[in-house]
């Protein structure tokens, strides 16, 4: 009988645990993933080594314990490179060799002594346990290395995106970065903002279409057979796009963080563009105000000079009748230009500022009548009429601002109708409101789709924008003024025959008959 | 003409406007001088009497409102009429509080300016003094003059 004098199972495990981590790390790093052939070669070498060691031990009359330890060492070396199955086979070979060469009867696979059977079983168990443990450690090390690689790649991708200027971050840059940093045969990104697909690499499984479909179905998809993973990119509940990978290594672990990184980068770029647009708009507003102020001064002073000089000519009493008439024309036209300039500046100012009406009790028919008279004098060929059931309809209003709003409506009525057509201003009292209707005949038809848009800032009707000059501010400012009075300005009617009616509705408290101390 | 004795000082940094208004007011019978900025205007009013100062607001150096305050201090009897492109209510209030008698926004018709000049001259009593001979009789005459 041969007594087992080698280390116990517990000691074997302890021995293994004493191997420095650095060695384990170096040996376990699966950077050299063994190919199919190399795996079997290693197993064969291990098997042969065990046969050789046990045979030599037998010939050299080595201690059985030494032979056991040498066999265990070969089993451990084999386990480091192969999986559990091959390592288990090598362990069995080792047990068989030990039995053959060291356990009586020698040179036979039979075991006579029951205690040696126990020794044999213990060796086999130790070898298998070690194999199992080493395989687990190896698998864990592989996972750690993969995790580290993934982390490094994620870090690299994040670093590149963080270092990129925010205005440069785009869907194209994202796929380029992911394609460069991660091991994948193809990357596709569908950008919801532009509805475009950006690709990197050479997809084989119609990755672009799968990515697009995922966006339309708002759902992630995995095709393990084709090696395709597709993820939706969300910011909150909003779907910003979809990213798809083909042949992405370790996709089950990496695709989640990657899609989060892509969504964050896209959201950051979107926020930057938005804030840039807002900053640009603010800057444009500052420039616009500065230009308007400059224009106000630069236009008004020469006009004032012309008016002063032509007034002086008329006052000189040295002009003939015809010259006097011509000087009068210069003066009146310059005055008209002054009024137009002042109105344009006022419109521009009201466009950019909050309208704060200085409310006073205002006789609406008198105000509308004055404006109509002004136009009747200026456009003597036009038929401008005012109809009002009562001569005194008072409402709380800022006279100057309301004058500007009504003027704008009359201006439009004259501008967008044929020269000899009629323009009618009608004032009525309805419930607790004053209605001012500006109606023109034979004007431009306003299509239903444009009837609300004509009140938008800078919007001009498609039919007229090339034919009639304008800035697209008049109706916008007119409505702004009326709304600041607590009223409304609507397009009431636009027929194909050219009848267009705009209605201003102003609130009129029941006690408005005499005075109106209302502040809006 | 009644206003032939009224002296006007036009203060404006725009030379064309300055000269144009000077010519027109001269045609209308006023005695007109010009100054291109507030400093020149202050020097002018300290050296000789002026009936009305037509004062711009937007000027380099001392602005129109501050100039108005200083001219009012230097020549309390002179009328001051602001002539400016600024039409905001705040500007008008500031100028009137600084001592201006009236406020006209550019562009304006000459007729309107002359009418307002008359009004300022009337209010300051200068027009009346020019038209009405003063009867001087001891302390009573001194009092009315």
């Amino acid at each position: 009988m041969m007594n087992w004098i080698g280390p116990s199972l517990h000691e074997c495990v302890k021995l293994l645990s004493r191997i420095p981590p650095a060695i384990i790390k170096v040996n376990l790093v699966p950077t050299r993933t063994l190919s199919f052939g190399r795996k079997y070669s290693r197993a064969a070498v291990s098997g042969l080594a065990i046969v050789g060691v046990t045979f030599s031990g037998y010939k050299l009359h080595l201690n059985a314990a030494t032979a056991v330890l040498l066999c265990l060492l070969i089993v451990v070396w084999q386990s480091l490179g192969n999986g559990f199955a091959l390592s288990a086979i090598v362990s069995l070979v080792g047990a068989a060799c030990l039995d053959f060469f060291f356990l009586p009867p020698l040179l036979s696979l039979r075991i006579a002594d029951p205690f040696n059977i126990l020794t044999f079983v213990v060796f086999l168990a130790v070898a298998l346990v070690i194999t199992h443990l080493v395989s687990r450690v190896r698998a864990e090390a592989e996972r750690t290395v993969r995790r580290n690689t993934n982390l490094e790649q994620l870090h690299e991708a994040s670093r590149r995106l963080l270092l990129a200027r925010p205005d440069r971050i785009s869907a194209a840059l994202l796929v380029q970065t992911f394609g460069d940093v991660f091991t994948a045969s193809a990357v596709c990104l569908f950008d919801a903002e532009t509805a475009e697909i950006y690709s990197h690499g050479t997809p084989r499984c119609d990755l672009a279409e799968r990515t697009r479909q995922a966006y339309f179905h708002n759902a992630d998809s995995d095709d393990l057979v084709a090696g395709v993973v597709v993820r939706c990119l969300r910011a909150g509940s909003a779907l910003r796009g979809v990213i798809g990978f083909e042949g992405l290594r370790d996709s089950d672990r990496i695709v989640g963080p990657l899609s989060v990184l892509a969504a964050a980068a896209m959201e950051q770029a979107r926020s930057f563009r938005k804030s840039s647009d807002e900053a640009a708009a603010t800057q444009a507003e500052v420039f616009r105000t500065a230009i308007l102020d400059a224009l106000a001064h630069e236009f008004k002073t020469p006009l004032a000079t012309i008016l002063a000089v032509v007034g002086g000519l008329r006052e000189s009493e040295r002009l003939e009748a015809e010259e006097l008439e011509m000087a009068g024309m210069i003066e009146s036209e310059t005055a008209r230009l002054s009024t137009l300039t002042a109105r344009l500046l006022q419109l521009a100012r009201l466009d950019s500022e909050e309208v704060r009406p200085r409310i006073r009790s205002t006789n609406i028919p008198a105000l509308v009548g004055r404006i109509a008279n002004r136009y009747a004098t200026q456009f003597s060929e036009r038929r401008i009429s005012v109809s009002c059931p009562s001569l005194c309809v008072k409402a709380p209003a800022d006279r100057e601002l309301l004058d500007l709003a009504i003027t704008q409506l009359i201006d439009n009525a004259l501008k967008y109708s044929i020269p000899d057509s009629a323009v009618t201003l009608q004032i009525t009292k309805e419930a607790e409101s004053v209605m001012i209707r500006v109606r023109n005949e034979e004007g431009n038809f306003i299509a239903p789709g444009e009837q609300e848009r004509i009140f938008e800032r800078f919007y001009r009707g498609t039919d007229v924008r090339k034919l009639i000059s304008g800035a697209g501010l008049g109706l916008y400012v007119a409505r702004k003024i009326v709304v600041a009075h607590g009223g409304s300005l609507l397009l009431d009617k636009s027929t194909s025959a050219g009848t267009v009616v705009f209605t201003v509705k102003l609130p009129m408290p029941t006690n408005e008959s005499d005075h109106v101390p209302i502040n809006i | 003409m009644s206003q032939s004795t009224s002296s006007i000082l036009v203060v404006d940094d725009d030379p064309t406007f300055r000269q144009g208004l000077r010519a027109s007011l001269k045609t209308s019978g006023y005695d007109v001088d010009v100054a291109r900025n507030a400093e020149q205007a202050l020097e002018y009013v300290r050296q000789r009497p002026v009936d009305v100062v037509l004062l711009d607001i937007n000027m380099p150096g001392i602005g129109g409102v501050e100039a108005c305050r200083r001219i009012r201090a230097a020549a309390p009897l002179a009328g001051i009429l602001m002539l400016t492109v600024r039409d905001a209510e705040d500007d008008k209030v500031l100028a009137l509080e600084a001592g201006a008698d009236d406020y006209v926004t550019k562009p304006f018709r000459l007729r309107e300016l002359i009418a307002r000049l008359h009004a300022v001259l009337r209010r300051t009593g200068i027009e009346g003094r020019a038209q009405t001979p003063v009867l001087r009789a001891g302390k009573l005459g001194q009092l009315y003059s």
Side-chain angles (χ1 to χ4, degrees):
Chain A
M1 184 193 127
M2 181 184 167
N3 291 325
W4 178 258
I5 51 170
S8 66
L9 177 63
H10 180 67
E11 283 169 336
C12 284
V13 173
K14 275 177 76 177
L15 274 173
L16 269 178
S17 67
R18 281 182 199 148
I19 300 172
I23 294 174
I24 293 178
K25 191 175 177 185
V26 170
N27 292 337
L28 296 183
V29 168
T31 46
R32 294 176 292 124
T33 306
L34 295 177
S35 65
F36 185 79
R38 286 185 67 185
K39 274 169 138 180
Y40 283 97
S41 304
R42 190 181 183 111
V45 168
S46 303
L48 287 174
I50 283 174
V51 172
V53 163
T54 47
F55 178 70
S56 305
Y58 168 73
K59 284 289 180 189
L60 297 171
H61 302 288
L62 274 183
N63 186 331
T66 308
V68 165
L69 279 175
L70 287 171
C71 283
L72 280 175
L73 196 63
I74 294 168
V75 166
V76 169
W77 178 78
Q78 142 67 27
S79 303
L80 290 173
N82 280 332
F84 178 73
L86 280 177
S87 302
I89 291 169
V90 172
S91 301
L92 283 172
V93 170
C97 287
L98 283 171
D99 172 28
F100 192 77
F101 290 113
F102 289 94
L103 298 182
L106 299 180
L107 304 179
S108 157
L109 287 176
R110 221 162 36 83
I111 303 171
D113 192 338
F115 283 106
N116 284 343
I117 291 174
L118 182 64
T119 305
F120 176 81
V121 170
V122 167
F123 169 78
L124 193 59
V126 168
L128 288 175
V129 166
I130 288 173
T131 301
H132 177 66
L133 286 175
V134 170
S135 296
R136 272 183 62 181
V137 170
R138 185 170 162 271
E140 184 59 37
E142 277 179 2
R143 273 198 296 276
T144 305
V145 169
R146 276 208 306 272
R147 214 162 23 234
N148 285 345
T149 309
N150 291 343
L151 278 174
E152 281 169 13
Q153 288 173 329
L154 267 175
H155 175 262
E156 175 61 17
S158 309
R159 194 184 66 82
R160 288 194 193 185
L161 293 174
L162 281 172
L163 287 179
R165 277 172 39 189
D167 58 325
R168 294 277 174 84
I169 295 178
S170 62
L173 179 75
L174 277 173
V175 293
Q176 172 81 35
T177 306
F178 289 169
D180 288 348
V181 174
F182 295 94
T183 310
S185 54
V187 184
C188 266
L189 196 151
F190 179 82
D191 186 352
E193 202 172 348
T194 58
E196 284 183 25
I197 285 272
Y198 299 86
S199 298
H200 182 274
T202 47
R204 293 185 300 270
C205 302
D206 206 5
L207 184 62
E209 187 51 31
R210 287 178 190 228
T211 308
R212 201 192 311 272
Q213 287 303 321
Y215 176 78
F216 292 124
H217 294 112
N218 193 4
D220 299 342
S221 72
D222 290 339
D223 182 346
L224 298 177
V225 178
V228 170
V229 284
V230 180
R231 290 289 179 273
C232 293
L233 307 178
R234 293 189 175 84
S237 58
L239 185 57
R240 300 281 185 231
V242 175
I243 194 162
F245 298 92
E246 189 180 300
L248 178 66
R249 200 171 72 184
D250 218 5
S251 63
D252 55 330
R253 292 173 195 281
I254 199 75
V255 75
L258 263 183
S259 56
V260 170
L261 178 63
M266 286 183 75
E267 189 59 15
Q268 186 199 1
R270 208 181 71 87
S271 302
F272 179 81
R273 280 197 298 275
K274 196 177 164 198
S275 60
S276 298
D277 290 348
E278 282 169 3
T282 309
Q283 191 67 14
E285 199 60 40
V286 169
F287 283 143
R288 201 172 71 98
T289 309
I291 288 168
L292 279 173
D293 282 350
L295 281 181
H297 193 263
E298 299 304 325
F299 273 43
K300 284 179 175 181
T301 305
L303 287 171
T305 308
I306 297 170
L307 277 175
V309 171
V310 80
L313 276 176
R314 277 160 61 87
E315 292 290 315
S316 69
E317 297 174 358
R318 287 192 296 238
L319 299 181
E320 299 291 328
E322 278 186 2
E323 291 167 338
L324 204 59
E325 191 184 345
M326 285 191 284
M329 284 166 68
I330 294 172
E331 192 174 29
S332 63
E333 286 305 294
T334 311
R336 187 170 149 226
L337 191 56
S338 305
T339 311
L340 286 172
T341 308
R343 210 170 84 206
L344 181 66
L345 290 168
Q346 200 176 3
L347 276 179
R349 210 172 289 151
L350 286 169
D351 164 47
S352 59
E353 291 172 2
E354 188 187 348
V355 178
R356 289 182 181 157
R358 288 194 294 268
I359 298 297
R360 284 181 294 169
S361 177
T362 303
N363 187 353
I364 302 297
L367 177 87
V368 174
R370 275 198 302 276
I371 303 169
N373 275 339
R374 213 161 59 212
Y375 274 96
T377 312
Q378 196 178 329
F379 300 94
S380 52
E381 77 285 3
R382 300 300 301 255
R383 287 175 287 143
I384 302 170
S385 58
V386 181
S387 80
C388 181
S390 164
L391 285 179
C392 185
V393 180
K394 287 189 174 178
D398 182 316
R399 291 170 197 171
E400 202 177 320
L401 288 177
L402 190 59
D403 185 309
L404 183 66
I406 304 292
T407 298
Q408 199 54 53
L409 294 177
I410 300 174
D411 234 27
N412 279 5
L414 293 169
K415 203 154 78 172
Y416 298 116
S417 59
I418 63 169
D420 57 349
S421 61
V423 173
T424 314
L425 309 172
Q426 186 190 38
I427 302 155
T428 52
K429 279 203 294 192
E430 289 176 22
E432 293 187 352
S433 303
V434 187
M435 317 293 273
I436 307 164
R437 291 192 174 82
V438 180
R439 175 191 179 108
N440 69 266
E441 311 294 343
E442 300 178 71
N444 290 86
F445 171 64
I446 302 167
E450 294 191 314
Q451 293 191 356
E452 193 50 35
R453 295 204 69 193
I454 55 173
F455 292 100
E456 288 176 14
R457 189 184 187 206
F458 300 134
Y459 184 82
R460 302 204 64 227
T462 43
D463 288 346
V464 300
R465 66 177 63 141
K466 285 179 184 166
L467 302 172
I468 302 165
S469 63
L473 268 181
L475 284 176
Y476 169 76
V477 172
R479 177 177 266 188
K480 203 172 167 182
I481 289 171
V482 176
V483 168
H485 282 75
S488 63
L489 168 58
L490 298 169
L491 173 65
D492 247 4
K493 188 194 273 186
S494 177
T495 67
S496 54
T499 302
V500 177
V501 182
F502 283 93
T503 300
V504 173
K505 182 180 180 183
L506 289 175
M508 185 181 68
T510 45
N511 59 349
E512 174 53 36
S513 55
D514 296 320
H515 63 281
V516 188
I518 294 173
N519 291 318
I520 296 173
Chain B
M1 277 187 183
S2 64
Q3 60 269 55
S4 60
T5 52
S6 300
S7 57
I8 310 288
L9 177 67
V10 177
V11 189
D12 201 295
D13 59 331
D14 188 303
T16 315
F17 176 77
R18 221 162 46 219
Q19 298 308 329
L21 188 59
R22 177 191 198 176
S24 293
L25 289 176
K26 275 195 164 180
T27 307
S28 301
Y30 291 96
D31 179 16
V32 188
D33 268 322
V34 293
R36 66 170 181 270
N37 53 36
E39 288 83 352
Q40 268 194 3
L42 278 165
E43 199 181 326
Y44 186 96
V45 298
R46 281 180 191 130
Q47 288 175 1
R48 69 202 83 171
V50 62
D51 294 331
V52 180
V53 180
L54 301 181
L55 187 60
D56 187 19
I57 286 187
N58 292 336
M59 287 186 296
I62 300 171
V65 175
E66 180 55 26
C68 176
R69 201 169 282 121
R70 295 191 193 183
I71 290 169
R72 174 60 66 223
L77 294 178
I80 301 174
L81 200 155
M82 308 303 288
L83 272 186
T84 176
V85 295
R86 299 172 73 143
D87 56 0
E89 186 180 276
D90 287 350
D91 292 318
K92 293 177 185 172
V93 170
L94 270 177
L96 293 171
E97 283 179 353
D101 295 293
D102 204 351
Y103 193 105
V104 176
T105 50
K106 293 177 188 172
F108 51 85
R109 289 192 188 226
L110 191 66
R111 286 172 56 204
E112 183 192 350
L113 179 66
I114 289 174
R116 286 180 184 270
L117 266 175
H118 279 198
V120 172
L121 289 168
R122 254 197 323 273
R123 278 201 296 277
T124 53
I126 294 163
E127 194 171 79
R129 280 205 308 274
Q131 282 180 319
T132 313
V134 177
L135 177 64
R136 292 180 183 275
K139 286 183 180 174
L140 185 66
Q142 283 174 7
L143 181 69
Y144 278 95
S145 67

